[in-house]
Amino acid sequence: MTIWTVEGHRLFADGCPVPFRASPNIGGKIAEHRLLLHHFTSGFYAGSIEWLCNPAAKASAHLVVGEGGEVTQLVPFDRAAWHAGKSAWGDITGSVNPVSIGIEIANLGDLDGSPGHYTFAGHAVPDDRVIMARHKAGGAARPWHTYPAAQIAAVIGISRALQAAYGIHELLGHEDVAPGRKVDPGPAWPMDMVRAAVMTPATAPVFIPPRPPEPVAEAPVPNVVETPKDVQRALVALGYGPLVIDGDIGPASEAAVRRFQLVAGLAVDGDPGPKTRAALARAMTRRT
Ligand SMILES: [Zn+2]
């Protein structure tokens, strides 16, 4: 098991500093480390590091953790990284970046397709690395890329070291500080178990085996969503109701369409056009 420590605002694994690649996307001094944020990269490890070191990204994180637990540090822990964007928590408004450490976990996030041919940006994702789950913000069950045990163990060990070094008050997901805008690290990340392991005092023994969330069975029957009434029925069935099923896309139906479009990653315009109807039909087919 790797021993993670923090010294001089750098992360060490078994006494050796982890690879450091300086990102130009960096803010001011962190006066107080109040929060630790977990994210998923929506991309692969090496490509995510490249991107977060590119000035055009206008984004960074303190650490990127790969699927095998390999780590690269991009920003020293005493400087703000640009990981959370517009975000808020408690009395922190605007952005939590000035008071937080951000860990990007290499993971493809939410996926497209259906069993046997899940994809991420055209890359095939094997079924045994996919879980069907609902996001806690609501919406239908959809496919998410799972996190390997080695990666979860590394993030826990690193997070415990950071908590011990900086007295971090709370461990949160990006989805917690930017609800409605962000869904990472998502339902495949076992946050309750991770939080319990990280926020336990360092002297207490921790042995909680990583466990992915319960899978959600899929409904096999394909659905068709054509008419405004079909749209309303689908929205209600997927938990965006209650709505009156009258075929009139008024303000309440339009608001439900917007919420669905947000969760489904579509353009949020409140108009149940062909793309939105197709996504509703897919979501209905997947739901239980
Ligand atoms: Zn994020």
Side-chain angles (χ1 to χ4, degrees):
M1 207 177 79
T2 307
I3 307 288
W4 303 99
T5 50
V6 175
E7 207 181 307
H9 307 296
R10 297 285 179 97
L11 179 67
F12 286 66
D14 293 330
C16 299
V18 303
F20 187 87
R21 171 107 188 257
S23 171
N25 306 323
I26 185 168
K29 282 265 181 196
I30 296 182
E32 186 191 9
H33 296 78
R34 292 172 61 179
L35 307 178
L36 176 58
L37 254 63
H38 287 171
H39 302 255
F40 62 50
T41 53
S42 283
F44 299 97
Y45 177 66
S48 298
I49 292 168
E50 288 297 323
W51 175 242
L52 295 172
C53 290
N54 182 336
K58 294 189 168 61
S60 62
H62 292 92
L63 303 170
V64 182
V65 180
E67 293 207 318
E70 64 276 28
V71 188
T72 298
Q73 184 165 0
L74 310 182
V75 176
F77 299 127
D78 63 338
R79 296 286 299 271
W82 298 348
H83 55 99
K86 187 171 155 40
S87 50
W89 188 254
D91 60 344
I92 309 162
T93 55
S95 177
V96 303
N97 285 345
V99 294
S100 66
I101 290 177
I103 300 179
E104 285 282 358
I105 308 164
N107 177 274
L108 303 182
D110 41 341
L111 306 170
D112 291 325
S114 50
H117 37 90
Y118 290 112
T119 62
F120 169 79
H123 298 273
V125 178
D127 279 357
D128 64 1
R129 288 294 312 280
V130 179
I131 189 163
M132 293 295 296
R134 291 186 175 84
H135 194 272
K136 64 182 177 181
R142 49 196 180 111
W144 301 81
H145 193 211
T146 60
Y147 297 86
Q151 188 179 36
I152 297 171
V155 173
I156 288 175
I158 293 164
S159 299
R160 279 171 66 84
L162 290 168
Q163 203 281 330
Y166 295 108
I168 284 163
H169 308 181
E170 282 183 273
L171 168 58
L172 300 166
H174 198 183
E175 63 209 357
D176 298 316
V177 298
R181 193 172 70 81
K182 291 291 175 180
V183 296
D184 60 313
W189 181 245
M191 183 56 105
D192 289 346
M193 181 275 284
V194 171
R195 185 180 286 119
V198 170
M199 302 308 282
T200 300
T203 49
V206 174
F207 180 70
I208 307 168
R211 185 171 57 83
E214 295 295 321
V216 178
E218 292 173 67
V221 186
N223 283 265
V224 176
V225 176
E226 295 276 8
T227 67
K229 278 190 179 179
D230 289 346
V231 169
Q232 290 172 325
R233 279 193 203 99
L235 288 168
V236 170
L238 295 168
Y240 293 86
L243 294 174
V244 181
I245 313 290
D246 58 3
D248 175 20
I249 303 293
S253 295
E254 198 182 304
V257 170
R258 283 178 191 277
R259 290 202 302 280
F260 172 77
Q261 287 170 328
L262 187 67
V263 171
L266 299 164
V268 179
D269 59 8
D271 174 23
K275 277 190 181 170
T276 298
R277 294 201 303 274
L280 279 168
R282 282 199 301 277
M284 288 289 285
T285 303
R286 282 186 199 140
R287 91 192 198 286
T288 52

